[in-house]
Amino acid sequence: MKTAIIACKTLEDEINLAVSKTKTNHKIYWIDSGLHNYPDRLRQNLQECIDKIGVYNYIVLLFGLCGNSLLHLSSKHAKLVIPKVDDCISMFLGGNRERRNIEENTRAYYLTKGWLRYENNIWHEYLQCIEKYGLEKTRKIFGIMLKHYTHLIVIDTGAFDSAEFIEETKKIAVELNLEHKVIKGDLSILDRALTNEWQKDFVVIKPGEKITLNDMGTCGEFISQDQIFGISSA
């Protein structure tokens, strides 16, 4: 059984850790993380990647629903395998249920090192806003955007040295007037994606069929943080 992986570049640290842990050697095709802010372009890019991949039995898309960007994707020859998660936040927390449990009483913006590494993230936008409008006006703008948010949550996925990163994000939290919190990540969905354990939390789409919202179960109930802020971090 021949399997290929298509994955967001932002997940590179965590996927490489999962590859090392599971000792798998699937071919991985990386997609630019900046496309998350443009669902139609992301969908087009993903479809082009699917079409260019050679003969495989399965193509695993390591993405969440991501602003409905996976809808209507299809493969002529391979079965498409997709985790049933809203976005990669849920993927790093072990699933949608775990994400919802966290957000019962907490409204948070999430970060991993991968999300902060790429320029289209909340901190980059904040710094750009300072350059354009100055510090005082920027604080007012972000105060409005983040008025319903209480926390900046760092997901410690175990895929990076967290100590230095946590110190950096503490400073960001102070500047954004958010409470800083670190939670342990859960990469079991990635592990199962790589080892063909797709019985739970995954949907398998037959060749020629298109991905629909019904296929994704309860996904889409969350509005992603990127959609709210008009920026892209994951």
Side-chain angles (χ1 to χ4, degrees):
M1 183 170 62
K2 194 175 180 183
T3 301
I5 308 292
I6 302 178
C8 175
K9 190 73 173 173
T10 305
L11 281 63
E12 185 176 14
D13 292 336
E14 287 72 21
I15 291 174
N16 286 338
L17 176 62
V19 167
S20 176
K21 179 181 176 181
T22 60
K23 303 187 186 305
T24 50
N25 59 352
H26 304 305
K27 174 67 176 178
I28 301 176
Y29 297 84
W30 298 104
I31 300 295
D32 180 13
S33 64
L35 292 172
H36 280 86
N37 203 33
Y38 310 96
D40 290 338
R41 286 170 55 188
L42 176 56
R43 183 184 302 111
Q44 180 181 354
N45 199 290
L46 285 169
Q47 187 62 64
E48 290 174 354
C49 187
I50 290 169
D51 294 340
K52 290 177 182 178
I53 289 178
V55 180
Y56 283 87
N57 302 102
Y58 295 93
I59 298 174
V60 179
L61 299 174
L62 287 180
F63 288 82
L65 189 58
C66 297
N68 292 337
S69 58
L70 297 192
L71 298 186
H72 312 307
L73 295 177
S74 65
S75 172
K76 293 180 180 178
H77 308 291
K79 293 181 179 180
L80 298 180
V81 181
I82 310 105
K84 290 184 178 181
V85 292
D86 295 297
D87 51 29
C88 52
I89 294 168
S90 296
M91 197 183 306
F92 284 172
L93 294 175
N96 289 336
R97 179 179 297 177
E98 289 74 12
R99 166 88 171 276
R100 284 162 173 72
N101 288 341
I102 292 172
E103 299 210 343
E104 280 185 357
N105 301 306
T106 301
R107 197 71 174 101
Y109 189 93
Y110 298 83
L111 282 178
T112 68
K113 192 171 184 179
W115 295 338
L116 198 58
R117 179 186 302 140
Y118 295 95
E119 64 176 27
N120 291 322
N121 58 67
I122 189 173
W123 186 235
H124 175 77
E125 293 289 329
Y126 185 82
L127 295 178
Q128 277 198 327
C129 197
I130 289 175
E131 290 183 5
K132 188 172 183 179
Y133 300 112
L135 180 59
E136 184 177 352
K137 189 173 182 179
T138 295
R139 285 177 171 168
K140 289 181 180 179
I141 292 171
F142 274 73
I144 294 171
M145 289 197 301
L146 294 167
K147 65 180 179 179
H148 298 302
Y149 284 69
T150 58
H151 288 73
L152 178 71
I153 292 183
V154 175
I155 305 176
D156 185 357
T157 63
F160 51 86
D161 182 5
S162 61
E164 182 177 347
F165 180 67
I166 287 172
E167 289 304 311
E168 181 180 5
T169 55
K170 282 181 179 178
K171 297 175 183 178
I172 294 174
V174 169
E175 191 62 29
L176 297 178
N177 197 29
L178 296 172
E179 185 175 339
H180 187 271
K181 185 176 182 180
V182 180
I183 61 175
K184 187 69 175 176
D186 178 352
L187 302 185
S188 58
I189 290 178
L190 290 183
D191 294 342
R192 287 188 281 120
L194 296 175
T195 54
N196 302 349
E197 298 177 46
W198 305 324
Q199 296 83 1
K200 179 185 177 183
D201 298 326
F202 289 85
V203 60
V204 180
I205 307 297
K206 296 179 180 178
E209 294 185 357
K210 294 183 178 181
I211 301 170
T212 69
L213 196 57
N214 286 336
D215 293 320
M216 299 300 290
T218 60
C219 293
E221 294 180 2
F222 271 121
I223 299 175
S224 75
Q225 58 193 32
D226 298 335
Q227 289 175 288
I228 292 172
F229 301 134
I231 61 179
S232 177
S233 66

